[in-house]
Amino acid sequence: MAASRRRPRRITAVAAAVAAVALTAGLTTGCDAVDKALDCVQTADTIADSVTDLQQAVENAADDPTKADDALDSIDKNLDSIGDKTDDTDINKAVDDLQKAVGNVRDSINNGDATPDISPVTDAAGELTKVCTP
């Protein structure tokens, strides 16, 4: 009988160990998701600041035309950061849309447009902020 009592205890111990591992894995995965979401929100916030800088740079293009390039570079850098950290389809689409809008503004500036339309950048940044918000 002693052997039969040990078996249920061993099964219980193994079940408890498996449950602990599963719980830990679940919490770790949950934390990773939260960390990614926070990274996305923080980067989207930084991009929003860069978009504001871009708006001001375009308004003051006569004073310093390089500021628009600096703002576009900052947006590109932050977009790369988001793209590297997520596999979320909606976030990746928003990043792609914003990269395209930034490229179009950069092309306009390079083609001599001192006051390019940056509304697509603003709209795409707003969409990115929306999809990054949990």
Side-chain angles (χ1 to χ4, degrees):
M1 264 207 202
S4 65
R5 285 188 186 173
R6 288 184 191 152
R7 189 169 198 188
R9 287 184 188 164
R10 185 177 298 164
I11 291 171
T12 302
V14 170
V18 169
V21 169
L23 179 61
T24 302
L27 290 175
T28 302
T29 303
C31 289
D32 288 345
V34 169
D35 287 344
K36 284 182 182 180
L38 287 174
D39 285 345
C40 186
V41 169
Q42 290 168 345
T43 305
D45 187 49
T46 301
I47 289 171
D49 291 342
S50 297
V51 170
T52 300
D53 292 345
L54 177 61
Q55 289 171 326
Q56 292 172 352
V58 168
E59 289 171 7
N60 301 317
D63 297 334
D64 189 355
T66 63
K67 287 195 178 195
D69 276 334
D70 292 344
L72 292 169
D73 289 343
S74 176
I75 293 169
D76 276 335
K77 177 182 169 194
N78 287 305
L79 287 174
D80 289 342
S81 175
I82 291 176
D84 292 343
K85 292 180 181 177
T86 186
D87 56 359
D88 183 281
T89 305
D90 293 333
I91 293 172
N92 283 329
K93 182 181 179 333
V95 166
D96 290 344
D97 290 347
L98 186 49
Q99 284 174 325
K100 182 179 178 183
V102 166
N104 289 340
V105 169
R106 190 180 303 276
D107 289 346
S108 292
I109 291 171
N110 290 339
N111 290 331
D113 188 351
T115 56
D117 178 15
I118 63 166
S119 61
V121 172
T122 305
D123 294 343
E127 183 62 25
L128 178 62
T129 300
K130 185 171 34 169
V131 298
C132 281
T133 306

